[in-house]
Amino acid sequence: MSSNMKIKFDQLQYQNDAVRAAIAVFAGQKLMPNNFTVYDQELLGKVQTSIGVGNGFTVSREMIFDNVKNVQLSNGINPVKKLNAGFPQFNIEMETGTGKTFVYLKTILDLNKEYGFTKFIILVPSVAILEGVRKTYEITKDFFKSQYDGTVYNAFIYNSDNPNDVREFAASSNIEIMIINIQKFNRDDTKFKQPNEQLQGVAPIDLVQQTNPFLIIDEPQSTDNTDNAKAAIRELNPSVAFRYSATHRDKSYPLIYRLGPVEAYDQELVKQIVVSSIEADADGNEAYMRLISTDAKKQTAKLGVYKFKKGAAGEQAEITVKKGDNIALKTKLSVYDDYGDVQDIDFTRDDDPNTQAVHFTTHESLTMASQNIQDENAKRLQIRNTIRNHLNKELYLNPKGIKVLSLFFIDEVAKYRASQDEDAELGEYGRWFEEEYERLIAEDTYKNLRDRDVPVREVHNGYFSVDGKTGAFKNSRVDTKGNNKATKDDESAYETIMKNKEGLLTFYDEEKGNTSNANKLRFIWSHSALKEGWDNPNVFQIATLVETKDTITKRQKIGRGLRIAVNQDGQRVPGFDVNTLTVMANESYEKFATDLQKEYEDDGVEFGKFEDIIFTKIERTVVAEDGTESARHLTVDESTQLVIELVDAGYVSSNRKATSKLQEAVQRQIIELSDEFGDVKAEVLRIAEHNMGRVPVKRDMPIKDVPAKLDLIKDPNFLDLWNHINKKTTYEIHFDEDQFVNLAVARLKHGSPISRVQYTTRMASIKQTDGGIVYDAEQGDGTRETVAKAEYDLSKFDILTYLQNETGLTRRLIARILNGAAERVTADFKMNPVAYEEYVGDLLNELKENHIAENIVYKMTDEEWDAELFKSEPLRGVVEGDTPNMVSVSDAKTPYEYVRYDSTIEKKFAEAANLDNNVKYFIKLPAWFKIATPTRNYNPDWAVLKEVNGEKVMHFVAETKGTIESELARPERVRIQYGREHFKALRRDGVDVEYRVVTDENQL
């Protein structure tokens, strides 16, 4: 019996943050007094209509506006000045592959849990995305059932043949989710808008309107991108809409959460992108020619050719030709004499790019599908490189329980295979694949691969549209812009892809009964139109073999494989050492990276813009009147002032982009700021450096596997060091609630740096000049003063709930703390409620982490890390190219002949230890050497065996940092404290080892 793996789901912080952003918009919807007042929970958030149950929406537009601004500030987004007209709509930006469908399904359940809302509609732009939503709903249902105490919820795909689904949607008091394609109701003649006999003459839309549904708009740039679509959506009578996309074109709606491509990469939430480029050398000895495009307006065609270049046979170039042009004269190469002149040009007809052609007087016509030997060789090489890269990944990832998949996109299905019959004759791509696979798999390098003996015909297959009448594979249709014109036949391909998702992720294993075609399949072929709505976390290679115009954007290509890989237990396996997506490109990696960057920018992603709010994440130390110090973030006004200062100083341009002056400042780590911001220079440089970053696309460099020394466990120096550090521990946390409360109360009684809103008055004289209006400002900081204000309406603020969400502490414990300092808390809270909530939240988190770190007790156990793991886990890294991460060292002093490093500090440490005669042995501790902590496991940097004063031998575990410990961020300091307590436990039990935090090797 088959036992395909099931994907498991984690509680990921960034996904919870996206959910909370949506939930917080309605703060105030469920405000109830705590004093003996009981509400009927079943009616919360609902209203009874004449037909069924709808969403009861009571929160005012003004409260939503205030909530949205608070959400934006907490998420580092510039607050909006007003909400959009009509029903409220909000943008949520999540990079492809980070689980936006999971997030909005969880949001639906949380909206019900928090406020009782029950009616939701998910709007999608295409069949592909609809099938993807259906699949996510199916595979997450068990997880959500366990997370929400068995809450009943139902999702269905609207089908005009089943109108009673809509009746149940309106009448049910449970959570109801309708998934519908925008095409189903964006015209007046659709069945959705027509009276239906099964509904007693009522149109489905009439039932929907009475429920006041919450809308989830998936990919709004494609779903409501026309006036007609927007009008159709308004007709649904929605209460509110959340719009989820990686690229929001319409930015008129407030953005409440942002996880962009740079953030996703920095946090390793998606795969790292690597490009393997294939470029043919220009060869003017052959008449290479390719049709790139035609322009009906200018009556021209653009061709790819070789042109004459002095000192070389030729160079690749693009030329534009019109009727009557002579090709040999345009290229200055005689090999094109056979073509003669351009006789005529055919342009695109009926949205079909394949109708384009160029006709010549003395040569056969050139079409988009025309190939020559260079094109064929390049495609065959793409296939070969994809297979080789795939097999190399299997050598590394199969032992980790990860099945590797590769994806080929093609635009002519017949080039692969004519029909779904496995015995059908292969096209040229299919033949090339089998020839290259059998040649490569026979190499000794791959003799131990688990699936080596699976017949070649069973390791590859295609997901294509199937003709409903003949059963033959067929090309999916695309228009001139590359948009999929989905048909009924396409639906079968999407259904098959989704149905086999778990099977594709599961190893072929006869003993476990996993012997289906999907289990054996490792190389997937798909039509270029099937480019959205589905992905697979274990796609590690993507190749596009196109003969016509490539309608797949680079974002769509990488989107099929950006998601983090999963193992045979269905668990995510994070980290770039596993998650690298290789794109097999027939262009240079520089061009791929440049074009990808342009696609992001064309889609509205703004890189490197210094927004007013950018520096609000900076913490600065402030001193109260009584001399106590505390930390707070820069305010929006201070951040805005700092950005303006950078503009005035020439570090940032008028359009808020970094200048060369700022790039130089970051490189030198020196920047001139006014005295007001002199204390935050380091943080300004750090944020500036990050903000100037681009979406990282790395060149495909050879990965080097370095085995450990064969006699490693016999090396006396290794054994001496290893046996002093390899002891494992467990820990206990002695959380003293009374001590924690007393400490927190004492801090709160000292007061906070929060004050009433202050205003600064500055004077300037205005002058009219030939260059325009200029001003001459008075010198100085101006006058700062507090404007007298009536008390805030504190009923709008629920500080207990806020602090519970921010800190994870219980309401009872928080109430003890606030009541313990009630007089001062009340006074400070009244002055500035929002700022005070944030201040107390940060304070309690800091105290909690410090309290746990100070009261944790580690105890040594009988377990040890096994040195044999060095032999089973080779060191992997890059030693050449632009971004090496391994340095050569003496293998007499380390387990390997290289040391892998993650920073310049670590590289310098390794080089210094290698040259230090007092260092007898050192180890860059591997990733599997992890000390358990209450937060996340801690992996120290180094173990060092050192001779001191020529005789005493010391055993060190070292953590290398670029700054002193006290200046590190709080999470890093806490992890170091856990590491320190772990090694203290070893010393208590007689193990001679010292733990140090250092900036260089000499400090040991």
Side-chain angles (χ1 to χ4, degrees), residues 355-422:
T355 58
Q356 300 174 93
V358 177
H359 306 284
F360 303 98
T361 54
T362 57
H363 197 278
E364 65 183 35
S365 299
L366 179 70
T367 69
M368 296 294 278
S370 297
Q371 286 194 97
N372 53 34
I373 190 65
Q374 290 97 326
D375 294 319
E376 292 181 0
N377 287 342
K379 289 181 176 63
R380 183 160 191 146
L381 193 55
Q382 276 181 279
I383 293 172
R384 179 187 303 165
N385 287 354
T386 303
I387 296 170
R388 184 181 294 281
N389 201 288
H390 177 111
L391 297 179
N392 288 337
K393 286 269 177 65
E394 287 186 328
L395 287 173
Y396 178 53
L397 295 180
N398 280 179
K400 298 179 182 292
I402 299 171
K403 183 179 175 184
V404 177
L405 300 174
S406 291
L407 175 62
F408 293 95
F409 276 123
I410 59 177
D411 62 358
E412 284 293 326
V413 174
K415 292 285 187 181
Y416 173 68
R417 184 157 50 199
S419 77
Q420 54 187 333
D421 183 354
E422 289 187 6

Side-chain angles (χ1 to χ4, degrees), residues 606-611 652 655-658 690-693:
E606 290 190 281
F607 293 102
K609 187 171 183 179
F610 284 74
E611 297 179 340
V652 174
N655 64 351
R656 299 297 182 90
K657 295 295 182 76
H690 180 269
N691 200 52
M692 291 189 297

Side-chain angles (χ1 to χ4, degrees), residues 76 187 615 655 690 846 874:
R187 302 189 317 275
F615 296 117
N655 64 351
H690 180 269
E846 178 185 350

Side-chain angles (χ1 to χ4, degrees), residues 337-371:
D337 283 340
D338 290 345
Y339 280 83
D341 300 336
V342 176
Q343 189 175 49
D344 205 357
I345 300 175
D346 293 341
F347 304 97
T348 300
R349 298 190 307 276
D350 301 325
D351 281 345
D352 185 358
N354 292 318
T355 58
Q356 300 174 93
V358 177
H359 306 284
F360 303 98
T361 54
T362 57
H363 197 278
E364 65 183 35
S365 299
L366 179 70
T367 69
M368 296 294 278
S370 297
Q371 286 194 97

